[in-house]
């Protein structure tokens, strides 16, 4: 643990180092200036522009005397080696649940987020959002300062105001004081809330998420009579039935669940599980299901009842014909079958499903019940609706909103903003100014999670202490400090509070336990205990509420990347193509092909949706595989009070939320809007047979090599032989890929890939080195989906190489197809000649025009200039680092892990040395399912794929 | 001096200006002296008519537009064009191929037919060569504008440098660079060399001292002595012998820019000859197109006669048949060949959303020229002009089909894209047209539009024959 | 009418042609040779530094090892510049009030770093790693020149791509014995092991050191 200790000690010193701020100013010139002028965002931006000019200069300055200065620190903090990266553990918190991360630093500047292999919810993987958190950390909009009634105030003024609140609390005993915050698993926060309640018995708090899971929680409460956490154990599940489920994309611990699911998907390596999906609108879970069935809300209810009847006994209910097959399959696999229901269904439905799971006898085997991980609101009766009523009734005198944006994200029907006006004291803590800070009386910038001490728990309860990655860049306020001020004038620092919380487990002083906990990013055996609370017998009799009888039902879903809009200002997440629609920078209404035909709508046609007088106008996108009786609105867009990136991008559907469940009126306006799709050709059918290959398990069992039958070996005059000590290659398992997009953002972060913006995406100039192609198989109404990550294939006979007139792209001895940016003159012939079209061209100075802090870039990768071609390098910088260490210290090269491989939750990517003995990638390459993309082009790609096998018996269901 | 005596009557009636079936190569009434006087006259005139001033003004305006759009291009980057992913080549390449093909006509007529000792070419070669150099100049700017970092174009030169790097000689673009350079340089040389005796004539005919100096300097002291002529003819022959293969090579190599790639729709051994055919077609079309105004406006009806139109028309017809053959072969090889993606692409070309462009190509380059079977059409200046224009437009469409439509539909359907030219694409195209026209106008203003010394040979030969 | 030109014109014409061709030749020669010259690369260029630091005095005079200040050179891509504290570790004892050292003391006092002018630099798209070169027997002087004799530090080598490649193509003759790496005065002499001996001794890998990917990413 020596390196670990070094990490910690250096951090400790950083924390106590009075020079640190000055170091910040030296090393973050832009940020330093921002510190001195915190309120002027514009100035911060101009300063960034200045630093960006430097970034743009990435390829200039070849000749003559060098410019610039060497600026050493006044005092070098020990442990920081100039030019070498450091790593500090942290965690990415989503809906309260933590997924462990490790943040990579250069000279004290965070530049990259990796997953934390020790953390149960990460296992080394990250979500796209966790990767993109980097940009939020550097977001100059965080430098905005305190405001009262939107006028700048000093920090002391705020503390004084909070002092008055303290006196008031003491007087009233907390009556009329409400704290509104997002879902939380932080024991330290919980402790603080309890402390507050001890001093002010009447104080109330509400944990509220715009797209929360309270349905599921209430369902558990109904079924087991208490607050519990359901933890699926997918690695042992042979049959999974997912109903409107987000099991693999958003459910708590989804990274781990995806890993466990994928571990059972490749028939060459494991006994395949089988996934049935029943859903109204296509989800990632449905996309990778062996069999997917479309059912609108009403039919789903009938299906649930039919299932209940079949599994729990009772009067049989007529379900769709295919349901019997599922039921018998579930029955046949008692104890190894698991049913998962999405968070949008009513608590009663969840209770029913829990009862079915008990009936299937999978408890402890394929799922367990844990004591609740999230912190409860002060009382169960408190909900956002009831809070708003109280606010209107004037029963709420003070409202403290922490890291939540109800003015934007509360159901439009509630009209939260108006209610907020009636609260006499309101304070909103938020990282960046948003709709709520504008409406609240007081607003203050909250620190970024990387700037303070805190803790959070994973879906299974495992806790992590989150350490600061840097001192606050923009004078943010710690939530703990604000809450502490409500208790006493001189609240203890967050570090003390966190230490207090873990006192018994880690010891009060800084000992090895504490250090290891920080180094590993997890607190050992802190997981929630397994509960053996029995199912309440009335759970099976839960009566499902009648769904709307409307002809068309408007469903709301969180955008996969912006969630409830909190990430709308993050350019990486805005531009990341949505997994299925492949659309970026917008949230068109999802509508089924048949409905579109009925309403004579084409992609991009603008419609006007009216519901109870409220209306929005939005473009539509036709979504294969969606139920005809519903249209789906993605939340999180149309932010009115966001930064230059997210403001007025897309449509705000919260407006229509919470209205009656009558049928929305959809009228074609005649206008059209271009959709910024990255798969420019409309949905592609019947193509994947050749490219993203797939087949049925029965086919595989009959003829394991069947996917390769089509391409016979090509004759060649000469074979390329690896001369170097290594022969790098990659194998991508299409069975594992769930299309989540984590690899794409990881690649973007690692390789300084610029964001080009909506206009340029519309002009088909996005810059992704790694893209995920999406092919449809079968009828547009209910197609099969095949995802295929495509990156530079590093062909041994690379067509791009011979056509470059200046030799800017060459082969190296280890089989890498290297692109030398500074030699490139931009003829773009290489791109013409690339059959896979993985090369991207800088039509403008995209990197220079990016609104991005230069400090956030990866110093190990060239920032490409205007007029230069670029492409995937197999993370050459990582290979080079390993190579240098190996040569220098005489060890054998440590395993190189590419950014995409590291981020992938399902381990779809395997990168390595084909020449090395016992190399995993070589083994996968030799596997029966392995095939080369466009093998007939005779390019001999170093990247191969493993064909997608569906666990079905009848080929025609997956293959044409 | 019998030869120099004027021959029969000089009654030139209006309608005899129209091209005629049995026109001789040069009107019989023309003697050397009348011919020389007639051809020298326009450049030596003090004042030029309005049509010239106006058209020059218009052309210069287009040149201004070209300069502006190039300036903006260098400042903002080639993102101002419509090129995207996957269509990374666009107008720049289309225009380049188009211009270089137009340029070819001159070289064919003046070099190839010189070697073949064809008499009629003497009246046209000056005009044709002038077209060549200005078209080639227009073509030459595009490959540089096309680059993402144009200021580094010199990296294509194999010059010794501190990077110890050479250009990559396997790349067709490098061959192309060399071929174009050679072609442009030698075209200019050939053109100027052919001018020298006429410049001497001008020097002697000119009265105003400044003009005499001007032509005198350009004439490089050519005095028409016996030895001078002997060397001159050898040199001219050698240059012609050099040019003839060059015109073939340059277009084959332009063809190889495409055939050398593995790209769908390009990867075909057909391309080199195909591009030579295309060059012939557009070259002849350009010469024919400009012969009409030249003879009318400069009063050269006696030297560019029906005979010329007859022959040019037949040449145009022939080359259009060759091009038609190439189109046919392209279709055939696609369907005969094994590559499904190639078939899919070709199907998209002929039936897809951009198929009108493909069919326009067929219509303008293959069908329209068939009218030239009729002598009446060949001799009708209106038809000649219209057909030539059709061919030149058609050839541009052909390049659009080859470049854009091929790149739009590559192997992976996931990488299919579209292409929309921007205003800057169009301005760069029209600007170059202005450059071309301005060049021609200035040339005819200063230089004899017909090679006088070669016309003399024709007239002398006719005279001998008559005796 | 008289002739246009006087006989002298012939002379002028030929002279003009001659001159033209000469200028062309001269120009191309310039373009060819200029980049190879030191002037183009600012060799021997010694900018004014905040403190006129003398390597000669500290290294030759006092015998301080390179690594005392450039601490990271063996473990990092970056050799590392000494923080003010390093300077003050001695200069808090000696020359405590020398006027020359005013900037150093101020740096510590006001907590403002010293800003040294950069002398040896490669373009941003070149990724040079100090540690591997040191480990493989490439001495400081190979790129920095005889620093130990520099009263004021100046740029000693051109650092062109050619300069790098000369060594990457044939490292052997330039390798230094392990104990001589930091000796900037070292020259190959009779006692020096043969190139291939050194190559073997350092185990310079069989990898192709002229691959683009060795330096460019």
């Amino acid at each position: 643990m020596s390196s670990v200790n070094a990490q910690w000690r250096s951090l400790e010193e950083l924390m106590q180092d009075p020079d640190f701020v000055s170091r910040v100013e030296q090393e973050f010139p832009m940020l330093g200036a921002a510190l001195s002028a915190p309120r002027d965002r514009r100035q911060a931006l101009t300063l960034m522009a200045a630093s960006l000019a430097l970034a743009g200069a990435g390829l200039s300055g070849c000749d003559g005397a060098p410019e610039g200065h060497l600026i050493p620190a006044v005092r070098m903090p020990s442990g920081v080696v100039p030019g070498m990266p450091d790593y500090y553990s942290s965690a990415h918190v989503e809906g309260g649940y933590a997924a462990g991360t490790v943040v990579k630093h250069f000279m004290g500047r965070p530049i990259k987020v990796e997953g934390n292999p020790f953390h149960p919810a990460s296992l080394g993987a990250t979500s796209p959002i966790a990767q993109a958190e980097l940009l939020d950390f550097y977001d100059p909009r965080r430098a905005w300062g305190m405001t009262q009634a939107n006028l700048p105030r000093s920090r002391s003024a705020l503390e004084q105001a909070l002092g008055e609140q303290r006196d008031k609390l003491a007087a009233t005993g907390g009556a009329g004081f409400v704290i509104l915050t997002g879902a939380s698993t932080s024991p330290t926060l919980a402790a603080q809330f309890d402390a507050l309640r001890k001093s002010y018995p009447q104080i109330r708090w509400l944990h509220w998420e715009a797209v929360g899971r309270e349905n599921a929680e209430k369902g558990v409460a109904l079924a087991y009579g208490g607050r519990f956490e359901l933890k699926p154990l997918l690695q042992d599940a042979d049959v999974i039935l997912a109903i409107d489920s987000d099991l693999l994309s958003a459910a708590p611990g989804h990274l781990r669940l995806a890993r466990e699911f994928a571990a059972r998907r490749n028939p060459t390596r494991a006994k395949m599980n089988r996934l049935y999906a029943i859903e109204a609108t296509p989800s990632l879970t449905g996309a990778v299901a062996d069999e997917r069935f479309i059912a609108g809300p009403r039919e789903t209810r009938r299906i649930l009842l039919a299932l209940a009847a079949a599994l729990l006994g009772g009067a049989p209910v007529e379900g769709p014909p295919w349901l019997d097959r599922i039921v018998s399959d579930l029955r046949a696999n008692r104890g190894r079958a698991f049913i998962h229901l999405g968070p949008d269904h009513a608590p009663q439905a969840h209770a029913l499903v829990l009862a079915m799971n008990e009936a299937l006898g999978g408890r402890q085997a394929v799922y367990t019940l844990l004591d609740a991980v999230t912190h409860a609101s002060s009382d169960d009766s408190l909900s956002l609706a009831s809070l708003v009523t109280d606010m209107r009734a004037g029963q709420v005198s003070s409202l403290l909103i922490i890291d939540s944006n109800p003015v934007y994200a509360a159901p439009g029907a509630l009209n939260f903003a108006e209610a907020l006006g009636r609260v006499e004291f309101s304070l909103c803590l938020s990282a960046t100014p948003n709709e709520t800070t504008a409406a609240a009386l007081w607003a203050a910038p909250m620190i970024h999670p990387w700037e303070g001490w805190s803790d959070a728990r994973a879906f299974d309860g495992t806790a992590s202490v989150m350490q600061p990655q840097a001192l606050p860049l923009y004078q943010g306020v710690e939530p703990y400090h604000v809450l502490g001020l409500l208790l006493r004038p001189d609240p203890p620092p967050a570090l003390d509070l966190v230490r207090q919380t873990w006192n018994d487990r880690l010891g009060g002083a800084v000992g090895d336990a504490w250090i290891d906990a920080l180094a590993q990013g997890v607190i050992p055996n802190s997981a929630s205990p397994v509960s053996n609370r029995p199912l309440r017998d009335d759970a099976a009799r839960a009566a499902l509420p009648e769904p709307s009888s409307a002809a068309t039902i408007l469903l709301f879903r969180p955008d996969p990347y912006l969630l409830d809009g909190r990430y709308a200002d993050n350019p990486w997440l805005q531009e990341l193509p949505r997994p299925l629609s492949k659309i970026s920078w917008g949230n068109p209404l999802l509508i089924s092909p048949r409905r579109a035909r009925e309403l004579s709508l084409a992609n991009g046609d603008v419609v006007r949706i009216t519901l109870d007088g409220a209306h929005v106008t939005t473009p539509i996108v036709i979504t294969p595989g969606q139920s005809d009786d519903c249209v789906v609105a993605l939340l999180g867009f149309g932010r009115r009070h966001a930064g230059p990136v997210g403001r007025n991008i897309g449509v705000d559907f919260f407006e229509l939320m919470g209205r009656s469940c009558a049928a929305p009126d959809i009228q074609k306006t005649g206008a059209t809007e271009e959709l910024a799709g990255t798969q420019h050709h409309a949905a592609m059918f019947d193509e994947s047979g050749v490219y993203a290959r797939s087949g049925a398990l029965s086919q595989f069992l009959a003829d394991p090599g069947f996917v390769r039958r089509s391409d016979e070996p090509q004759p060649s005059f000469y074979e390329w032989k690896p001369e170097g000590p290594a022969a790098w290659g990659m194998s991508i398992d299409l069975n594992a890929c769930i299309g989540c997009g984590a690899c794409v953002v990881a690649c973007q972060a690692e390789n300084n890939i610029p964001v080009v913006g909506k206009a340029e995406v519309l002009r088909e100039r996005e810059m992704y080195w790694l893209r995920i192609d999406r092919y449809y198989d079968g009828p547009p109404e209910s197609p099969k989906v095949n995802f295929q990550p495509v990156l530079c294939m590093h062909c041994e006979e690379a067509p791009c190489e011979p056509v470059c007139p200046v030799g800017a792209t060459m082969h190296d001895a280890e089989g890498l197809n290297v692109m030398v940016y500074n030699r490139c003159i931009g003829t773009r012939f290489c791109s013409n000649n690339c059959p896979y079209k993985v090369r991207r061209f800088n039509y403008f100075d995209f990197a220079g025009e990016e609104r991005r802090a230069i400090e956030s870039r990866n110093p190990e990768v060239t920032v490409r200039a205007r007029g230069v071609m670029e492409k995937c390098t197999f993370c050459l910088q990582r290979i080079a680092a390993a190579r240098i260490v190996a040569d220098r210290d005489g060890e054998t090269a440590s395993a190189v892990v590419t950014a995409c491989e590291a981020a992938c939750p399902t381990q779809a990517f395997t990168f390595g040395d084909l020449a090395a003995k016992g190399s995993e990638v070589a083994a996968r390459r030799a596997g029966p399912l392995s095939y080369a993309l466009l093998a007939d082009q005779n390019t001999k790609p170093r990247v191969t794929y493993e064909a997608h096998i569906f666990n079905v018996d009848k080929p025609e269901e997956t293959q044409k | 001096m019998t030869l120099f005596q004027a021959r029969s009557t000089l009654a030139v009636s209006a309608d005899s200006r129209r091209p005629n079936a049995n026109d001789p190569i040069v009107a019989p009434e023309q003697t050397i002296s009348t011919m020389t006087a007639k051809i020298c006259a326009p450049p030596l005139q003090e004042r030029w008519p309005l049509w010239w001033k106006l058209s020059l003004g218009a052309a210069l305006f287009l040149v201004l537009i070209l300069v502006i759009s190039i300036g903006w291009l260098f400042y903002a980057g080639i993102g101002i064009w419509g090129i995207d992913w996957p269509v990374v080549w666009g107008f720049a390449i289309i225009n380049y191929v188009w211009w270089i093909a137009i340029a070819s006509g001159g070289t064919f007529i003046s070099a190839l037919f010189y070697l073949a000792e064809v008499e009629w070419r003497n009246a046209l070669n000056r005009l044709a060569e002038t077209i060549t150099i200005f078209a080639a100049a227009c073509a030459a700017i595009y490959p540089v504008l096309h680059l993402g970092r144009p200021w580094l174009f010199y990296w294509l030169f194999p010059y010794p440098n501190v990077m110890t790097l050479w250009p990559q000689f396997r790349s067709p673009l490098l061959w192309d660079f060399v071929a174009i350079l050679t072609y442009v340089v030698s075209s200019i040389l050939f053109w100027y060399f052919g001018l020298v005796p006429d410049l001497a004539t001008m020097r002697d005919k000119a009265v105003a001292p400044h003009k005499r100096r001007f032509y005198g300097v350009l004439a490089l002291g050519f005095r028409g002595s016996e030895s001078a002529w002997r060397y001159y003819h050898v040199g001219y022959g050698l240059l012609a012998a050099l040019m003839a293969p060059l015109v073939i090579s340059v277009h084959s190599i332009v063809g190889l820019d495409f055939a050398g790639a593995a790209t769908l729709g390009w990867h075909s051994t057909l391309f080199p000859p195909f591009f030579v055919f295309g060059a012939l077609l557009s070259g002849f079309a350009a010469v024919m197109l400009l012969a009409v105004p030249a003879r009318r406006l400069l009063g050269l009806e006696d030297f560019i006669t029906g005979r010329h139109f007859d022959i040019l028309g037949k040449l145009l017809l022939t080359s259009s048949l060759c091009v038609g053959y190439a189109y046919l072969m392209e279709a055939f090889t696609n369907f005969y060949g094994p590559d499904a993606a190639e078939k899919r692409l070709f199907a998209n070309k002929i039936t897809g959303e951009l198929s009108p462009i493909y069919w326009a190509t067929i219509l303008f380059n293959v069908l329209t020229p068939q009218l030239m079977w009729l002598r009446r059409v060949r001799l009708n200046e209106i038809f000649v002009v219209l057909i030539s224009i059709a061919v030149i437009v058609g050839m541009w469409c052909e390049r659009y089909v080859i470049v854009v439509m091929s790149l739009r539909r590559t192997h992976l359907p996931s990488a299919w894209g579209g292409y929309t030219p921007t205003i800057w694409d169009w301005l760069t195209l029209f600007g170059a047209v202005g450059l071309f026209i301005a060049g021609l106008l200035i040339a005819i203003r200063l230089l004899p539009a017909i090679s006088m010394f070669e016309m003399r040979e024709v007239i002398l030969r006719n005279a001998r024959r008559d005796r | 009418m008289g002739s246009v030109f006087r006989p002298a014109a012939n002379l002028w014409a030929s002279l003009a042609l001659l001159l033209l061709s000469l200028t062309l030749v001269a120009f191309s020669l310039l373009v060819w040779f200029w980049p190879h010259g030191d002037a183009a690369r600012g060799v021997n260029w010694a900018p004014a530094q905040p403190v006129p630091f003398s390597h000669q005095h500290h290294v030759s005079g006092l015998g301080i090892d390179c690594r005392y200040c450039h601490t990271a050179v063996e473990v990092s891509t970056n050799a590392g510049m000494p923080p003010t504290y390093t300077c003050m570790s001695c200069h808090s004892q000696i020359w405590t009030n020398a006027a020359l050292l005013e900037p150093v003391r101020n740096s510590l006092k006001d907590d403002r770093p010293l800003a040294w002018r950069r002398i040896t630099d490669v373009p941003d798209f070149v990724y040079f790693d100090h540690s591997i070169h040191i480990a493989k027997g490439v001495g400081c002087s190979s790129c920095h020149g005889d620093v130990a004799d520099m009263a004021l530090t100046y740029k000693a080598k051109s650092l062109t791509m050619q300069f790098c490649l000369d060594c990457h193509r044939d490292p052997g003759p330039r390798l230094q014995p392990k104990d001589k790496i930091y000796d900037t005065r070292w020259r190959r002499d009779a006692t020096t092991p043969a190139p291939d001996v050194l190559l073997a001794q350092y185990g310079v890998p069989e990898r192709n050191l002229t691959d683009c990917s060795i330096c460019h990413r």
Side-chain angles (χ1 to χ4, degrees), chain B residues 213 216-217 220-221 223, chain C residues 3-17:
Chain B
R213 278 189 180 288
V217 171
L220 301 176
R223 290 206 201 70
Chain C
S3 69
V4 190
F5 300 103
R6 257 172 253 81
N10 290 336
L11 178 63
W12 293 122
S14 4
L15 276 181
L17 289 175

Side-chain angles (χ1 to χ4, degrees), chain C residues 53-61 64-67 69-70 81 119-120 130 139-157 176 181-187:
Chain C
F53 178 84
S54 164
H55 278 97
Q56 190 177 38
H57 169 68
H58 287 86
V59 180
S60 310
I64 300 176
D65 188 284
C66 308
R67 287 161 288 184
C69 300
H70 305 291
M81 283 293 280
I119 289 174
T120 313
H130 276 88
C140 310
S141 55
S142 305
C143 305
H144 297 283
D146 187 354
V147 181
D149 276 347
M150 296 184 184
L152 284 181
T153 319
Y154 57 85
K155 187 179 180 185
K157 306 283 180 169
Q176 305 182 9
I181 299 252
Y182 297 97
D183 174 359
T184 59
R185 284 207 199 71
W186 179 87
R187 299 274 174 286

Side-chain angles (χ1 to χ4, degrees), chain A residues 816-887:
Chain A
L816 297 180
N817 166 254
V818 291
M819 178 72 214
V820 189
Y821 310 119
N822 44 302
R823 178 64 174 171
C824 178
I825 61 174
T827 67
R828 310 188 290 290
F829 205 166
C830 51
S831 173
N832 283 347
N833 232 31
C834 174
Y836 310 96
K837 289 288 175 281
V838 292
R839 293 176 157 264
R840 303 292 190 170
F841 188 72
N842 289 276
Y843 282 102
F844 289 117
D845 181 10
F846 289 131
E849 289 158 7
E850 247 186 323
R851 213 183 265 99
R852 176 176 175 183
I854 185 173
E855 290 80 8
S856 65
R857 295 188 186 277
N858 182 354
E860 293 293 285
V861 176
T862 308
V863 175
R864 281 79 60 186
R866 185 186 109 193
V868 169
M869 189 64 71
E870 61 183 70
K871 66 160 192 77
C872 160
T873 63
F874 267 169
C875 286
L876 177 55
Q877 63 280 9
R878 297 184 178 210
I879 296 175
R883 182 172 64 201
I884 285 168
V885 170
D887 290 355

